[in-house]
Amino acid sequence: MVENVYVGSAAVDAAVDRGWLLGHFKPVDDVRHSADVEIKWGVHPRDDQRAQWVTGEKRTPCSC
């Protein structure tokens, strides 16, 4: 099962795909490929605010 585990650094890996770590856009043979889940890494400055939010999409955000 070792071939089903990916070990890396989110900060380093995210730089390659505009912050995306896991999702449908990764190659099918990549363990980070998923049609069901997408994970994006980002570091937001304190008091960061969005001018506008996306509407009409079903998403579940998770901040750590």
Side-chain angles (χ1 to χ4, degrees):
M1 280 269 187
V2 173
E3 67 275 2
N4 293 328
V5 175
Y6 178 85
V7 178
S9 166
V12 173
D13 293 346
V16 176
D17 284 321
R18 296 183 357 223
W20 292 103
L21 297 175
L22 183 143
H24 72 276
F25 37 79
K26 293 290 187 183
V28 176
D29 61 345
D30 189 321
V31 70
R32 297 169 296 165
H33 174 86
S34 173
D36 300 315
V37 177
E38 295 175 351
I39 297 177
K40 187 171 188 177
W41 174 265
V43 177
H44 299 277
R46 178 170 281 186
D47 299 325
D48 186 28
Q49 296 182 8
R50 289 180 175 244
Q52 182 177 350
W53 289 94
V54 173
T55 59
E57 292 188 18
K58 184 177 179 182
R59 297 180 179 192
T60 303
C62 175
S63 295
C64 301

